[in-house]
Amino acid sequence: QVQLQQSGPGLVKPSQTLSLTCTVSGGSITTNYHYWNWIRQSPEKGLEWLGAGTYTGGTYYSPSVKSRTSISRDTSKNQFTLQLSSVTPEATAVYYCARGDPFATPPGYASWGPGIQVTVSS
């Protein structure tokens, strides 16, 4: 059974870069056809898909954050990372990593991490 766990700072200052890591166990991030996603949830915006990395190392981003977002991976550690630059308080949310297909109708996510609260504040 695939398990995911987010890690990173819970507090980020405005204009800085938010950086989170997702560690995957019970399965490989290079397994065929899997997408590894970053999703956030806030009371104001609800669930918001930010982007995904593919099993081959490709990436997809939401147009709303594409210019400020980077998703990378470390296959030796079975981890993938989110970097969101120039954050504002509006980026305050619970951030999740999840395995699943964001392009399915509806999007389907089979496994989720527990989520990590990130607050953007000075």
Side-chain angles (χ1 to χ4, degrees), residues 37-74:
N37 302 268
W38 286 102
I39 299 165
R40 67 185 177 187
Q41 185 173 28
S42 65
E44 297 77 16
K45 295 185 178 182
L47 278 175
E48 181 183 13
W49 178 78
L50 300 176
T54 72
Y55 64 101
T56 61
T59 52
Y60 296 89
Y61 300 106
S62 168
S64 65
V65 296
K66 183 177 181 178
S67 63
R68 301 185 294 113
T69 304
S70 176
I71 294 174
S72 59
R73 67 179 188 172
D74 185 334

Side-chain angles (χ1 to χ4, degrees), residues 67-120:
S67 63
R68 301 185 294 113
T69 304
S70 176
I71 294 174
S72 59
R73 67 179 188 172
D74 185 334
T75 57
S76 68
K77 296 180 180 179
N78 216 33
Q79 295 176 332
F80 61 106
T81 299
L82 170 72
Q83 290 192 312
L84 180 63
S85 64
S86 305
V87 295
T88 69
E90 288 185 343
T92 295
V94 178
Y95 285 74
Y96 298 93
C97 54
R99 177 175 66 90
D101 186 352
F103 306 112
T105 305
Y109 302 104
S111 303
W112 293 76
I116 183 170
Q117 173 70 48
V118 178
T119 300
V120 179

Side-chain angles (χ1 to χ4, degrees), residues 18-30:
L18 181 160
S19 183
L20 297 173
T21 296
C22 183
T23 301
V24 178
S25 59
S28 172
I29 62 173
T30 61

